Amino acid sequence: MKKKIWKNPNNLNELEVDENCLIDNRTGERFVEDENGIIQFIQKEEIEGSNKKSTDFYNSFAPFYEIGQKIWYSFFGGEEKARMDYLNYLDIKENTTVLEVSIGTAANVKYLTRNADYYGIDISMGQLLQSVKNKNKYKLSITLCYANAESLPFKDNSFDVVYHIGGINLFNDKQKAIYEMVRVAKKGAKIMICDETEKVAQKYEKLPYFGKPFKNREKIVPPIKLLPENVENIKSIEIRKGTLYIITCNKK
């Protein structure tokens, strides 16, 4: 909680740091860091719509998520190679401040430079608890937050790099989440959004259990048209034989 980058996601008020919690002095609201070191910005009951559907799935699958990922990535040359397929599009320098939106189990941070200050938010508490395990196991510098990507608990212009990998296809409000990622990025910051293409989703939705989040969804289209006007250097590509899309840009 060291840096003064926090804001109340409910009203945009600045938050003051006080030991193991953040305080909104205008309203008296307190956002507490729990026993696992996760800062609580939302309550489970607040999650609804598509967000609830996908969150319920990830919570149920969280204890087995990393094992499943390792098996899946074995088809792409192993986990490190598979993750670097998209992480290579980031430009994380030493001593920078980085935000991963939907951090999951914090598995991506393992493969990035250790000399940066990482923040991660997720709407799945199950995934965040796995993040805590990886944070401790690999001694990762991450501040973890239980928060909604559509209302980030950070001030404008706080991060040198902001990225999201997997999940935005199932968000309630994709545009709001993208606007939030851009809002909290500094001028010139790299922003990256990556997720599965429609090609993959059509296969997933036919699977028992794993297909649950993909049923009754909108057709997946890389959300380039949802980017705000204050970004530039927009690039969109597909990797892994058209199974993942990557959008990169910089904040003006």
Side-chain angles (χ1 to χ4, degrees):
M1 292 193 189
K2 303 185 295 296
K3 295 184 178 179
K4 294 185 177 182
I5 62 173
W6 305 98
K7 71 143 185 136
N8 187 334
N10 302 320
N11 56 27
L12 308 184
N13 289 344
E14 183 175 343
L15 297 177
E16 296 294 330
V17 179
D18 181 26
E19 295 185 4
N20 69 333
C21 74
L22 298 164
I23 301 175
D24 183 336
N25 287 326
R26 295 184 184 180
T27 66
E29 285 179 273
R30 298 165 66 90
F31 301 93
V32 179
E33 181 179 274
D34 70 12
E35 65 276 12
N36 295 300
I38 301 169
I39 307 173
Q40 310 282 313
F41 286 100
I42 57 173
Q43 300 295 321
K44 180 181 178 181
E45 295 74 22
E46 299 171 8
I47 305 171
E48 55 188 17
S50 295
N51 288 348
K52 185 179 188 307
K53 184 178 178 181
S54 59
T55 300
D56 288 346
F57 169 76
Y58 280 110
N59 282 338
S60 67
F61 187 46
F64 316 104
Y65 182 81
E66 290 218 315
I67 295 173
Q69 289 284 281
K70 289 181 187 300
I71 294 171
W72 174 245
Y73 284 146
S74 67
F75 296 104
F76 300 97
E79 183 177 8
E80 182 173 4
K81 180 184 179 301
R83 290 190 184 278
M84 292 311 297
D85 284 347
Y86 45 78
L87 293 177
N88 277 327
Y89 288 88
L90 294 173
D91 183 20
I92 298 176
K93 297 180 173 61
E94 294 187 358
N95 302 314
T96 53
T97 305
V98 181
L99 172 64
E100 180 170 3
V101 175
S102 302
I103 193 168
T105 64
N108 290 314
V109 181
K110 292 188 296 183
Y111 301 106
L112 299 171
T113 178
R114 296 298 176 91
N115 298 318
D117 193 12
Y118 293 95
Y119 288 71
I121 74 103
D122 209 292
I123 202 169
S124 165
M125 180 54 73
Q127 292 286 78
L128 284 171
L129 291 174
Q130 298 304 310
S131 281
V132 172
K133 292 181 180 179
N134 275 333
K135 176 183 177 178
N136 296 333
K137 180 178 180 179
Y138 297 102
K139 296 179 171 55
L140 304 174
S141 175
I142 315 175
T143 300
L144 295 169
C145 306
Y146 185 40
N148 191 331
E150 295 158 22
S151 188
L152 295 174
F154 307 107
K155 294 181 183 178
D156 297 2
N157 310 308
S158 294
F159 296 96
D160 300 290
V161 177
V162 179
Y163 69 96
H164 166 84
I165 299 165
I168 196 168
N169 288 338
L170 304 175
F171 282 8
N172 281 350
D173 192 331
K174 301 178 186 66
Q175 185 170 57
K176 189 174 181 183
I178 291 170
Y179 274 48
E180 281 288 274
M181 286 185 245
V182 176
R183 179 184 66 78
V184 302
K186 295 178 182 178
K187 181 178 180 180
K190 168 69 76 70
I191 299 154
M192 184 180 84
I193 299 167
C194 173
D195 208 343
E196 289 140 343
T197 61
E198 176 66 15
K199 176 180 179 180
V200 174
Q202 288 179 4
K203 293 180 179 179
Y204 279 174
E205 67 183 354
K206 298 174 184 177
L207 297 174
Y209 182 73
F210 294 101
K212 288 181 182 179
F214 296 91
K215 296 186 186 301
N216 303 315
R217 57 178 171 75
E218 295 179 358
K219 181 179 180 181
I220 292 173
V221 177
I224 299 174
K225 292 183 179 180
L226 302 183
L227 292 170
E229 294 182 358
N230 61 329
V231 296
E232 59 187 357
N233 304 322
I234 301 168
K235 297 178 182 177
S236 178
I237 63 167
E238 291 185 352
I239 63 172
R240 290 197 202 148
K241 300 180 180 179
T243 59
L244 286 177
Y245 67 77
I246 296 176
I247 299 170
T248 59
C249 60
N250 298 89
K251 184 173 180 178
K252 291 182 182 177

